[in-house]
Amino acid sequence: MNYARSPLDRETFIQKLRGEGNERFHTKHPFNRMMFEGKLTKTQVRAWIVNMFYYQLNIPMKDAAIISNCPIPEVRRFWISRILEHDGYGKVEGGITGWLKLGEAAGIPKDDMISARFLPGVRFSVDSYVNFARTRHWVESVAASLSDLFYEALAERVKAFEKHYRWVKSEGLGYFRSRLIQTKRDSNIALDIAVRYCDAAELQKRAIDAVSFKNDVLWSISDALYTAYVVNEVPLSASF
Amino acid sequence: MNYARSPLDRETFIQKLRGEGNERFHTKHPFNRMMFEGKLTKTQVRAWIVNMFYYQLNIPMKDAAIISNCPIPEVRRFWISRILEHDGYGKVEGGITGWLKLGEAAGIPKDDMISARFLPGVRFSVDSYVNFARTRHWVESVAASLSDLFYEALAERVKAFEKHYRWVKSEGLGYFRSRLIQTKRDSNIALDIAVRYCDAAELQKRAIDAVSFKNDVLWSISDALYTAYVVNEVPLSASF
């Protein structure tokens, strides 16, 4: 790709973001394919829920890091809703609580999830995502946050649970349902922000690389789960 | 002070935080004393407003940095209100807009304030505060944010403006009045958080040092203003 001269026009830039997003999206990972095809055991599903809780726990800190680097009040005013919706506010319970309820619906007691020892590969991947948001230009981190936009991963996930893992109580899927609504509402605004503030070729390139980086984060989380729970078939208790 | 053994009890710890806060609070700085005594010229008052705008601009990023380092959802849920109140939300206009209005009430056009070239000493001091919040334990940054608690600086400021600088239109003082209400409501909660999470002697010591660090930040902002606008009497236009 040649970024040397002028910035890409809006449509080309969006197309490249999407292309990069789809290229190696984690839904193509063997662990996720197994999930969608109903091939995961109870232990493997629970391992996924427990370990992804570490990701959930860190998302508000990642979003606060973006705000902490962002000098544009209008962007901060929009982005703060992500923290509110994840941590909860007033009577809205938020994504972290939603995830705990998903765990309970799958037979994982809340306290076990909170005190879980997450897989090192999961921790390192998530930590590097938070660190990315702390240290990079804020618009790169906005781009990294766009991944929800590129695939119907959430909808696919809900379908997989409803079809293949009916032992997970249906009310536990509230997390996915709320996220679906939020994502539809927010992701185009986030994309608009990325397009608007990536006003130079160099920044556009970094935004596209950020999408790729985020793919790597999600991919390596799946790698850690796959090697621990599919290849080695570690019993779940080992990670608690 | 001996922190080697067990943590200080609540009352002693609070007393030490307050003691450190009062020790070298920026209200004792010559520039602030001149302000309170009505001795600042119009240019000097305007220089203070313009340069403190850089501080205002950075506060939400500082608070987001605290949240980005804080793993406790309850603390984040409280702390996020600081960002909301500074950036504004819904119909609440927020502290930054309030400060722009203070500027306009003092004869500084909004666009001049936004495009101002702030004094280097002001920028470096404020930047180091944001950087502190990015890199230190979150509870140290909470402690650094306690400064409002220690002095009736805000109330004193309003009185000074009402008495000595009546050429600043009264409606411009809305910023101070809103902050007074917010500070009364929030600062005890912030203090409770600091006391609760500084549960080790080492962390208590770092919290006390953080209060001292914050004093240094505010003091050196005043230093920059004093040397530029009192000692050297730089015309305000030089900083635009």
Side-chain angles (χ1 to χ4, degrees):
Chain A
M1 281 183 279
N2 178 16
Y3 296 101
R5 296 182 201 178
S6 53
L8 305 169
D9 64 85
R10 181 186 166 89
E11 286 318 310
T12 313
F13 180 45
I14 291 178
Q15 204 186 327
K16 291 219 184 281
L17 287 170
R18 277 186 202 277
E20 195 69 37
N22 287 333
E23 180 75 17
R24 219 165 74 106
F25 198 61
H26 67 134
T27 44
K28 295 180 184 169
H29 190 283
F31 192 85
N32 272 299
R33 285 212 316 272
M34 287 176 73
M35 175 178 289
F36 294 142
E37 291 162 10
K39 290 182 181 159
L40 294 183
T41 64
K42 269 195 190 184
T43 299
Q44 287 163 342
V45 169
R46 285 180 182 146
W48 178 78
I49 295 172
V50 167
N51 278 283
M52 282 303 285
F53 186 56
Y54 187 72
Y55 180 82
Q56 304 301 335
L57 279 175
N58 278 275
I59 289 306
M61 290 188 271
K62 181 271 295 178
D63 285 316
I66 294 176
I67 297 176
S68 83
N69 287 319
C70 177
I72 321 281
E74 297 75 46
V75 175
R76 295 200 302 257
R77 262 196 293 272
F78 166 70
W79 210 262
I80 204 169
S81 62
R82 293 188 165 230
I83 303 178
L84 290 165
E85 280 168 0
H86 217 75
D87 274 338
Y89 58 95
K91 285 178 183 169
V92 176
E93 63 182 17
I96 291 175
T97 306
W99 198 265
L100 284 169
K101 289 191 171 171
L102 171 66
E104 286 181 316
I108 307 159
K110 190 177 158 184
D111 288 345
D112 287 359
M113 192 120 96
I114 290 171
S115 62
R117 208 172 72 74
F118 309 106
L119 289 171
V122 171
R123 283 190 279 117
F124 300 152
S125 306
V126 171
D127 291 352
S128 78
Y129 186 30
V130 178
N131 203 42
F132 183 95
R134 281 190 184 131
T135 52
R136 298 301 187 96
H137 189 293
W138 64 269
V139 86
E140 290 179 75
S141 312
V142 166
S145 306
L146 288 175
S147 48
D148 288 341
L149 192 67
F150 301 124
Y151 239 88
E152 292 291 324
L154 277 166
E156 236 183 310
R157 197 92 72 194
V158 176
K159 265 186 233 162
F161 270 92
E162 284 171 345
K163 189 171 172 190
H164 303 299
Y165 309 104
R166 277 190 257 178
W167 54 272
V168 178
K169 288 178 197 130
S170 168
E171 70 265 26
L173 304 180
Y175 171 86
F176 297 116
R177 296 195 184 103
S178 322
R179 287 286 300 139
L180 266 172
I181 297 165
Q182 288 161 17
T183 303
K184 270 188 193 153
R185 193 194 53 207
D186 291 350
S187 55
N188 283 320
I189 305 179
L191 186 62
D192 279 344
I193 291 172
V195 172
R196 179 167 170 201
Y197 291 96
C198 287
D199 50 1
E202 168 60 21
L203 215 46
Q204 287 184 336
K205 180 178 183 317
R206 281 158 63 187
I208 293 164
D209 289 346
V211 172
S212 170
F213 163 80
K214 170 67 171 297
N215 275 352
D216 289 343
V217 168
L218 296 172
W219 193 272
S220 81
I221 289 173
S222 296
D223 274 353
L225 284 160
Y226 192 81
T227 49
Y229 292 95
V230 180
V231 179
N232 294 329
E233 293 190 41
V234 174
L236 182 57
S237 61
S239 82
F240 272 64
Chain B
M1 283 183 279
N2 177 16
Y3 297 100
R5 296 184 202 179
S6 53
L8 304 170
D9 64 85
R10 182 186 166 89
E11 286 318 310
T12 312
F13 180 45
I14 290 177
Q15 204 185 326
K16 291 220 184 283
L17 286 170
R18 276 186 203 279
E20 195 70 38
N22 287 333
E23 181 73 17
R24 218 164 76 106
F25 198 62
H26 68 134
T27 45
K28 297 180 182 169
H29 190 284
F31 192 86
N32 273 299
R33 286 213 316 274
M34 287 176 71
M35 175 177 289
F36 294 142
E37 291 162 10
K39 290 182 182 158
L40 294 183
T41 63
K42 268 193 189 183
T43 299
Q44 287 163 342
V45 169
R46 285 178 182 149
W48 177 78
I49 294 172
V50 167
N51 278 282
M52 282 303 285
F53 186 56
Y54 188 72
Y55 180 83
Q56 304 301 335
L57 278 177
N58 278 275
I59 289 305
M61 290 188 271
K62 182 269 296 177
D63 285 316
I66 294 177
I67 297 176
S68 82
N69 288 319
C70 177
I72 322 280
E74 297 76 45
V75 174
R76 294 200 301 257
R77 262 195 293 272
F78 166 70
W79 209 263
I80 204 169
S81 63
R82 294 190 164 228
I83 303 178
L84 289 166
E85 280 168 0
H86 218 76
D87 273 338
Y89 58 96
K91 286 178 182 169
V92 177
E93 63 182 17
I96 292 176
T97 306
W99 198 265
L100 284 169
K101 288 190 173 172
L102 170 66
E104 286 181 316
I108 306 159
K110 190 177 156 184
D111 288 343
D112 286 0
M113 192 118 98
I114 289 170
S115 62
R117 209 173 71 76
F118 308 106
L119 290 170
V122 172
R123 283 190 280 118
F124 300 153
S125 305
V126 171
D127 291 352
S128 78
Y129 185 30
V130 178
N131 203 41
F132 183 95
R134 281 189 184 133
T135 53
R136 298 301 187 95
H137 189 293
W138 64 270
V139 86
E140 291 179 73
S141 311
V142 165
S145 306
L146 288 174
S147 49
D148 287 341
L149 192 67
F150 301 122
Y151 240 87
E152 294 290 324
L154 277 167
E156 235 184 308
R157 197 91 69 193
V158 177
K159 264 186 234 159
F161 270 92
E162 283 170 344
K163 190 171 170 191
H164 303 299
Y165 309 104
R166 276 190 259 178
W167 53 271
V168 179
K169 289 179 196 126
S170 169
E171 70 266 26
L173 304 181
Y175 171 86
F176 298 116
R177 297 196 182 102
S178 322
R179 287 287 301 140
L180 265 172
I181 297 166
Q182 289 162 15
T183 303
K184 270 189 192 152
R185 192 193 55 205
D186 292 348
S187 55
N188 284 320
I189 305 178
L191 186 62
D192 279 344
I193 292 172
V195 172
R196 179 165 171 201
Y197 291 96
C198 288
D199 50 2
E202 168 60 20
L203 215 45
Q204 288 184 335
K205 181 180 182 317
R206 281 158 64 187
I208 294 164
D209 289 346
V211 172
S212 170
F213 163 79
K214 170 67 172 295
N215 276 352
D216 289 343
V217 168
L218 296 172
W219 193 272
S220 82
I221 289 173
S222 296
D223 275 353
L225 284 160
Y226 192 83
T227 48
Y229 292 96
V230 181
V231 178
N232 293 329
E233 294 190 39
V234 174
L236 182 58
S237 61
S239 81
F240 273 66

